[in-house]
């Protein structure tokens, strides 16, 4: 068959040979179709013999949407697919397997076809003209009645379907949708089966996104609840200036910061980043922060305290998570900063004379290994020296050109801010750097929190 064209064998319209083997074999197959339940086999074979035999290859278009229906197809071998074109894509509505009658309603009514029908496999069929169908309907009114019943059932089903999906869409909008609702739709038309599957996938995606939004909202609530309130001015008595802030991203992560006084002279500052997103990361962050507060209040040796926190986290780490952490204790009277840097390289010391130092790592991230140890380092702070802690959400802020803000730009922005105003308050310093990173990102979506903390030793 050249170019997939229909190969047709014209039948004798006058006196068909009802005993011909092809017509009788096709009639035996088509007799299983509900339309022909009341037809004697010989009469059905005679109807088929008045048509045109078609042997078509897969991919051949059998019916074209928009064409006026002047014939129907009796498919006795193979599978056809019903499709429509939309402004967005080519949509498959249904598959029709032999025995199938295609295009009969349009043929009886003379209206335009509502969909394309293509051969999915090699197809053998008989093309019956509208005139032959009408004549058969006059002789066999039950054929016409069966077609009209099918037509009525189709409208009834469409009404049921559209009413059902209208209610389902309303339920989706109210976030009250239950996927079991789709089971209430019994025996849909073949044309609606794929639509039902598509709607189920859409509903599952919507409900999944709603669940993700709820999870992110829960994670954000946990994260906000664990952030410390500002220290009252009398607690520091101008011995230090401290400020921290967090700008959450689209996907809530495990960033956290904390500060509190162990006694009237020792100020604890911590900033960490849990590997992960959502509620698990937020809960692990909460456990880390709680363990730190508990242990640091009872253990004066910072390295021992951090090791103990590591053991606590390892014992309860069912999600195989870990956290990078900078934890420092600043003596407000002497200016000595003792710190443990557990894999958190996002930190700087900005000296009052304009120098920038990067604290070294003193141990691995927490919760990665039982028995891991970290050492403590001590560095002297002079009045005006500033500790700047941040998360990689700042340096990893990407602009629309997919360029990261980077550490070099952050260092330059921090030094420039202090060069312009050496006594810049911690709140203005942090807010300015967060604004700079946000302006760099512009309209590009950010997927990691921006978290930063600064503490400056007061000038006496």
């Amino acid at each position: 068959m050249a170019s997939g064209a229909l190969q047709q064998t014209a039948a004798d319209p006058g006196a068909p040979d009802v005993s011909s083997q092809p017509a009788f074999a096709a009639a035996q197959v088509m007799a299983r179709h509900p339309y022909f339940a009341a037809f004697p086999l010989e009469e059905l074979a005679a109807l088929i013999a008045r048509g045109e035999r078609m042997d078509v290859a897969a991919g051949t278009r059998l019916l074209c949407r928009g064409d006026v229906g002047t014939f129907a197809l009796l498919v006795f071998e193979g599978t056809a697919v019903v499709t429509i074109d939309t402004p967005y894509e080519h949509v498959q509505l249904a598959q029709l397997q032999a025995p199938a009658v295609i295009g009969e309603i349009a043929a009886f009514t003379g209206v335009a076809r509502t969909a394309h029908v293509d051969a999915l496999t090699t197809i053998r069929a008989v093309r019956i003209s509208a005139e032959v169908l009408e004549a058969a309907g006059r002789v066999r009114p039950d054929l016409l009645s069966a077609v009209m019943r099918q037509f009525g059932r189709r409208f009834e089903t469409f009404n049921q379907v559209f009413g059902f999906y209208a209610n389902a869409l309303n339920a989706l909008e109210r976030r009250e949708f239950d996927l079991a609702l789709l089971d209430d739709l019994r025996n849909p038309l073949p044309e609606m089966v794929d639509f039902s599957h598509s709607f189920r996938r859409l509903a599952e995606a919507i409900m999944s996104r709603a669940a993700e939004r709820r999870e992110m909202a829960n994670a954000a609530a946990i994260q906000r609840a664990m952030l410390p309130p500002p220290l009252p001015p009398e607690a520091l008595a101008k011995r230090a200036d401290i400020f921290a802030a967090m700008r959450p991203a689209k996907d809530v992560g495990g960033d956290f910061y904390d500060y509190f006084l162990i006694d009237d002279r020792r100020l604890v500052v911590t900033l960490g980043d849990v590997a992960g997103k959502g509620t698990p990361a937020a809960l692990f962050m909460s456990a880390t922060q709680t363990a730190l507060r508990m242990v640091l209040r009872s253990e004066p040796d910072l390295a021992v305290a951090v090791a103990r926190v590591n053991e606590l986290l390892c014992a309860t780490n069912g999600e195989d998570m870990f956290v990078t952490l900078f934890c420092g204790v600043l003596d407000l009277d002497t200016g000595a900063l003792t710190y443990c840097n557990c894999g958190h390289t996002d930190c700087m010391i900005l000296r009052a004379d304009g120098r920038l130092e990067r604290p070294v790592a003193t141990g691995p991230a927490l919760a990665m290994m039982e028995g891991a140890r970290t050492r403590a380092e001590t560095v002297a702070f002079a009045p005006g020296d500033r500790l700047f802690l941040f998360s990689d959400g700042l340096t990893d802020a990407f602009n629309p050109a997919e360029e990261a803000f980077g550490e070099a730009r952050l260092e330059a922005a921090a030094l420039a801010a202090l060069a312009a105003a050496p006594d810049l308050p911690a709140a203005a310093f942090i807010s300015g750097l967060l604004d700079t990173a946000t302006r760099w990102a512009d309209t590009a979506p950010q997927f990691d929190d921006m978290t930063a903390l600064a503490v400056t030793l007061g000038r006496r």
Side-chain angles (χ1 to χ4, degrees):
M1 179 174 57
S3 304
L6 300 183
Q7 180 177 337
Q8 301 175 355
T9 304
D12 178 4
D17 180 7
V18 298
S19 64
S20 66
Q21 187 65 29
F24 198 80
Q28 288 179 311
V29 175
M30 295 307 302
R32 300 199 300 267
H33 194 281
Y35 282 174
F36 306 114
F39 271 64
L41 197 58
E42 293 78 7
E43 191 174 331
L44 180 55
L47 174 64
I48 290 173
R50 291 182 179 275
E52 297 175 342
R53 285 286 300 275
M54 300 165 52
D55 295 306
V56 301
T60 303
R61 175 142 294 174
L62 304 174
L63 301 180
C64 186
R65 181 181 181 184
D67 287 353
V68 175
T70 59
F71 63 89
L73 298 178
L74 276 56
V75 178
F76 57 88
E77 186 175 313
T79 303
V81 61
V82 182
T83 62
I84 58 171
D85 296 319
T86 74
Y88 306 102
E89 62 180 339
H90 194 64
V91 179
Q92 177 177 319
L93 295 179
Q95 290 185 17
L96 304 176
Q97 295 181 327
V101 180
I102 303 174
E104 74 284 7
I105 294 177
F108 271 115
T109 59
V111 299
R113 311 283 190 193
T114 57
H116 303 305
V117 179
D118 299 303
L120 185 64
T121 67
T122 300
I123 277 185
R124 301 182 68 194
V126 175
R127 172 175 169 151
I128 303 293
S129 69
E131 292 78 14
V132 171
L133 276 180
E134 290 172 2
R138 286 193 294 270
V139 174
R140 284 283 178 181
D142 46 355
L143 170 62
L144 184 58
S145 297
V147 172
M148 293 308 296
R149 283 196 300 273
Q150 171 68 6
F151 191 56
R153 281 196 299 269
R154 183 162 300 186
F155 269 102
E156 180 182 1
T157 303
F158 275 123
N159 288 338
Q160 178 188 3
V161 165
F162 289 126
F164 174 82
Y165 286 116
N167 290 334
L169 286 171
N170 289 333
L172 279 173
E173 290 179 350
R174 298 191 303 270
R175 302 291 188 266
E176 298 173 355
F177 186 76
D178 183 348
L179 290 175
L181 287 173
L182 290 180
D183 296 333
D184 293 339
L185 189 60
R186 297 286 187 263
N187 302 317
L189 288 174
E191 290 86 344
M192 301 308 300
V193 171
D194 289 336
F195 176 77
S196 177
H197 293 165
S198 297
F199 188 90
R200 178 182 285 274
R201 290 192 296 270
L202 171 65
E204 288 173 342
I206 290 174
M207 298 308 291
S208 175
R209 285 195 294 269
E212 289 172 0
R213 285 194 294 270
R214 287 194 297 272
E215 180 186 349
M216 288 303 171
N218 292 337
I222 295 170
Q223 198 174 50
R224 287 193 302 270
M226 295 303 295
L227 298 180
L231 289 173
E234 62 272 14
L236 296 177
K238 298 185 179 179
R239 294 174 295 172
D241 175 27
I242 187 169
F243 182 80
M246 176 186 296
R247 294 189 181 174
K250 174 184 177 183
D251 297 327
V252 177
D255 285 10
F256 68 92
Y257 62 81
D258 198 8
Y259 46 77
F260 59 93
L261 286 162
I262 296 177
D263 50 37
D264 62 356
R265 58 179 283 185
R266 288 182 298 166
L267 173 67
V268 175
V269 291
T270 64
L271 190 143
D273 187 358
V274 176
K277 302 289 183 187
T279 301
L283 291 173
F284 197 75
M285 172 271 292
S286 173
T288 304
Q289 198 166 342
T290 301
L292 281 167
R293 278 184 168 252
M294 179 181 67
V295 174
L296 287 171
R297 292 182 186 278
S298 60
E299 175 54 64
D301 188 312
L302 183 60
V304 173
V306 170
R308 189 174 299 170
V309 170
N310 180 67
E311 295 306 304
L312 289 171
L313 294 177
C314 286
T316 58
N317 187 10
E319 298 289 335
D320 293 329
M321 307 186 86
F322 65 90
V323 55
T324 63
L325 173 75
F326 185 100
C327 178
V329 180
L330 179 63
D331 190 316
L332 299 175
D333 289 346
T334 68
L337 173 71
T338 302
Y339 70 87
C340 289
N341 185 348
C342 304
H344 195 89
T345 57
D346 298 324
C347 49
M348 304 178 193
I349 296 175
L350 302 161
R351 298 295 185 179
D353 61 8
R355 291 180 294 121
L356 184 149
E357 301 172 8
R358 299 299 294 260
V360 297
T362 64
L366 301 184
M368 292 187 69
M369 183 190 312
E370 291 184 7
R373 292 292 182 265
T374 184
R375 71 182 188 280
E377 295 284 342
T378 300
V379 62
F381 266 53
D385 289 348
R386 187 174 308 230
L387 174 65
F388 173 38
L389 308 176
F390 54 95
S391 70
D392 57 8
L394 272 79
T395 52
D396 289 347
F398 285 87
N399 65 10
E402 298 185 354
E403 299 171 311
F405 186 56
E407 292 196 5
R409 290 187 181 88
L410 182 59
E411 288 182 0
L415 290 172
L418 295 180
D423 294 324
L424 187 66
F429 174 74
I430 292 297
S431 298
L433 292 179
L434 291 174
D435 288 343
T436 300
T438 300
R439 284 194 298 271
W440 170 265
D442 195 19
T443 58
Q446 300 304 307
F447 298 97
D448 208 354
D449 299 336
M450 293 184 186
T451 306
L453 178 150
V455 57
T456 308
L457 190 64
R459 298 181 187 271
R460 294 177 179 83

